[in-house]
Amino acid sequence: MPVRPVAKRYSGWHSLAAVLVLSLLALTSRVAGAQTALSAALSDYLQTQTAGLPGTVSVQIGRLDRHARLTACDAFEPFVPPGSRLWGNTTVGVRCLGPGRWTVYVPVQIRIAGSYLVAARQLGPGQQIGVADLLPQSGDLGALPASVLTDPAQAIGKTTRQGIAAGQPLRSELLSAAWVVQQGQSVKLLSSGAGFSVSNEGKALNNAGEGQVAQVRTASGQVVSGIARRGGIVEVSY
């Protein structure tokens, strides 16, 4: 009778299926455990690294790639990949330091509720920024360039590199340091070298910020170049 062998065959298949299911469940459990530990390590890292950002920070960690094969890991090392920064929509890497060795990249959204500065009115090129030119706005700084200005001290006294429309967010690259030497200004020329130091007067031939090159015409008509300093001083080294 063929009945008994068939029953044995089915019994063998059931045992194999049970082993496969248990193995799959164990693997799924290990992967889930690795992902949970990874998320906790990444959350701690982001909390520490964003503590100094201006405003109230909230972080949303995206899903891992469902195809990522994560083995058990005892130690994680989150890091910011080259070219990325912890601002707005970004990506953070996580390395497993052992016993397995792998790296995954996790999408992260960093929202920063805070105040930033916009132009209170139309500003022309080369215009010096004053208090009346600034207007605070509230919003998500993470949705703006990281160079957006948040403190009036970052803008007051500086000059615009180009025209800025009313209501436009102010960014550091739109402004330059205030002139410490202005064209036509009488300046003190400090010349120094090995064993000597000379001071005389001259007229600045261009505008220059702190540390920038300024050209000066002396009383004798000679034109020299030096480094502009505060207080209308131009330093020349020989």
Side-chain angles (χ1 to χ4, degrees):
M1 298 293 291
V3 175
R4 290 182 180 176
V6 171
K8 289 181 179 179
R9 191 180 302 121
Y10 280 138
S11 176
W13 279 111
H14 287 161
S15 298
L16 177 60
V19 170
L20 290 175
V21 169
L22 290 174
S23 298
L24 181 60
L25 289 175
L27 176 62
T28 302
S29 177
R30 287 196 298 271
V31 171
Q35 290 183 344
T36 300
L38 183 152
S39 296
L42 182 55
S43 179
D44 291 342
Y45 172 79
L46 291 172
Q47 183 177 0
T48 300
Q49 295 298 313
T50 60
L53 293 179
T56 303
V57 177
S58 60
V59 176
Q60 182 176 349
I61 299 175
R63 284 190 172 188
L64 292 176
D65 185 344
R66 64 186 181 89
H67 298 295
R69 296 179 178 179
L70 306 183
T71 58
C73 187
D74 294 335
F76 297 98
E77 182 184 50
F79 64 95
V80 179
S84 297
R85 61 185 307 166
L86 298 179
W87 191 278
N89 291 316
T90 188
T91 299
V92 178
V94 181
R95 298 186 187 94
C96 175
L97 302 180
R101 292 282 179 172
W102 45 259
T103 300
V104 294
Y105 295 90
V106 185
V108 172
Q109 184 179 40
I110 299 175
R111 294 187 177 93
I112 311 162
S115 178
Y116 60 96
L117 299 174
V118 302
R121 55 191 175 190
Q122 177 76 30
L123 302 174
Q127 183 173 337
Q128 191 173 54
I129 302 295
V131 176
D133 300 317
L134 306 176
L135 188 65
Q137 294 282 353
S138 296
D140 178 14
L141 303 183
L144 298 169
S147 58
V148 67
L149 303 185
T150 58
D151 188 335
Q154 297 172 317
I156 293 174
K158 294 186 177 180
T159 57
T160 56
R161 295 180 182 271
Q162 62 189 56
I164 300 176
Q168 181 178 345
L170 295 177
R171 309 191 309 274
S172 58
E173 63 268 24
L174 299 179
L175 306 178
S176 60
W179 303 133
V180 294
V181 168
Q182 297 187 19
Q183 183 177 2
Q185 177 185 351
S186 294
V187 298
K188 179 181 288 187
L189 196 62
L190 299 179
S191 303
S192 61
F196 76 92
S197 179
V198 178
S199 174
N200 54 23
E201 303 292 325
K203 289 282 187 181
L205 300 180
N206 64 291
N207 298 323
E210 175 79 20
Q212 294 181 334
V213 175
Q215 289 191 317
V216 178
R217 188 186 303 277
T218 65
S220 64
Q222 182 185 8
V223 176
V224 297
S225 296
I227 302 300
R229 301 300 183 194
R230 295 186 183 276
I233 296 173
V234 178
E235 297 177 343
V236 180
S237 298
Y238 293 96

